[in-house]
Amino acid sequence: MPEEVGTSQDPRDELRADCGSCFGLCCVALPFARSADFAIDKGAGEPCPNLRDDSRCGIHTRLRPAGFTGCTVYDCFGAGQHVSQVTFGGEDWRSGPKERARLMFDVFPVVRHLHELLWYLNEALTLPATRPVHADVRRLISTTERLTRQTPEELAALDVGAHRRTAGELLLRVSELVRAGGGRKKDRRGADLMGARLKGADLRGASLRGALLVAADLTGADLRGADLIGADLRDTDLTDADLTGALFLTQPQLDAARGSAGTRLPDSVSRPGHWTAQS
């Protein structure tokens, strides 16, 4: 990898899902249970009945009304195409022995974890306040990218949890450096804020790492510079909230939330299409 990560092209572009280059791995490898998010039960390694032979979803344009909201808020961070085209060299799970398919399904979530970490680490390099740790971030990016290039057998045996803990310590340092720049520094790490009434709340620079914000009312809240890594934003009301400069905010988090045309977002994410219908 180049010594300088920050180029005119955002490295995170390579971490965006390209379903056309994937063999529908998220629709096969991952299990789900009948719930508000999924209309049916499906076991790990079992193809979703909506998966077509061309690896495309047969109900992609109507997933929400069909009861598959969970599919609309999932993002593999580009792991699907990487495993399909790089790790397994274009080998379709349908065409090989069952043992090979099972290995592909085991590897997919491992690479997904690694790619998610790469997303956060590359974001850290875009933040001027984190210059004191840029060298450490670059080294960890290099290590993580090397891990993604391992053989299927090596990836399946990887202790990805240990690697995530190492990255987590560095990302916490990144968060502290950024949030030290101004605003309030409320620590709500891992807090249970399910259904909390936080309308108009001043959460500038707050740590909401891993916070449970399911169905919380954050209408008009000020979340500028807040750390949202791992925060559960399912059905969170972000109408007219300001998330400018929010740290580690991902597209899946937004897709699981509710918002409006007045919700202010970082440039790295897109306004979910279903928000327009709700606003």
Side-chain angles (χ1 to χ4, degrees):
M1 107 181 238
E3 182 179 352
E4 291 294 327
V5 177
T7 64
S8 58
Q9 181 179 358
D10 190 338
R12 288 173 293 180
D13 290 343
E14 300 297 322
L15 302 173
R16 300 183 192 276
D18 177 7
C19 297
S21 299
C22 176
F23 296 124
L25 292 183
C26 65
C27 306
V28 187
L30 306 178
F32 50 72
R34 186 188 298 269
S35 62
D37 293 322
F38 297 101
I40 60 174
D41 293 315
K42 188 192 82 64
E46 174 187 340
C48 174
N50 298 310
L51 182 65
R52 303 186 316 205
D53 290 340
D54 63 357
S55 297
R56 298 301 182 94
C57 175
I59 61 169
H60 180 71
T61 59
R62 50 189 179 90
L63 282 167
R64 285 180 178 273
F68 289 86
T69 300
C71 297
T72 70
V73 302
Y74 179 79
D75 192 327
C76 73
F77 292 96
Q81 67 258 27
H82 183 93
V83 173
S84 297
Q85 304 300 331
V86 179
T87 310
F88 284 83
E91 178 183 349
D92 194 328
W93 55 269
R94 299 175 181 86
S95 60
K98 291 182 179 180
E99 293 76 13
R100 192 69 173 171
R102 282 197 293 268
L103 182 58
M104 182 178 284
F105 302 152
D106 289 342
V107 165
F108 172 66
V110 173
V111 175
R112 197 267 183 192
H113 281 305
L114 295 174
H115 276 212
E116 183 180 8
L117 289 177
L118 285 171
W119 181 278
Y120 296 140
L121 292 167
N122 277 291
E123 178 178 337
L125 288 182
T126 70
L127 307 170
T130 65
R131 290 190 183 281
V133 294
H134 275 191
D136 292 332
V137 171
R138 288 192 179 95
R139 279 193 290 271
L140 193 53
I141 287 175
S142 181
T143 298
T144 306
E145 289 184 334
R146 178 180 54 78
L147 291 175
T148 68
R149 294 191 292 268
Q150 291 187 121
T151 67
E153 292 77 13
E154 290 171 330
L155 282 164
L158 177 66
D159 186 351
V160 72
H163 188 69
R164 285 180 66 90
R165 287 190 290 274
T166 298
E169 293 174 0
L170 180 55
L171 291 171
L172 179 58
R173 177 61 178 148
V174 166
S175 175
E176 291 170 344
L177 286 169
V178 174
R179 294 185 300 109
R184 298 185 178 184
K185 317 286 191 312
K186 293 180 179 178
D187 190 349
R188 301 287 182 86
R189 282 182 292 178
D192 185 351
L193 298 171
M194 185 172 181
R197 298 177 181 178
L198 296 168
K199 183 176 182 179
D202 185 351
L203 294 168
R204 287 174 294 169
S207 176
L208 292 165
R209 299 169 67 90
L212 185 65
L213 288 160
V214 177
D217 182 5
L218 285 168
T219 303
D222 191 345
L223 291 154
R224 286 176 292 175
D227 183 349
L228 293 170
I229 194 169
D232 192 338
L233 301 182
R234 286 176 294 166
D235 204 33
T236 304
D237 193 346
L238 297 174
T239 299
D240 296 334
D242 190 349
L243 291 95
T244 306
L247 292 173
F248 308 129
L249 177 66
T250 65
Q251 195 64 48
Q253 287 174 302
L254 285 181
D255 290 342
R258 293 181 288 128
S260 67
T263 305
R264 281 157 285 185
L265 301 172
D267 292 337
S268 59
V269 292
S270 303
R271 194 175 309 277
H274 68 279
W275 283 14
T276 302
Q278 293 176 351
S279 57

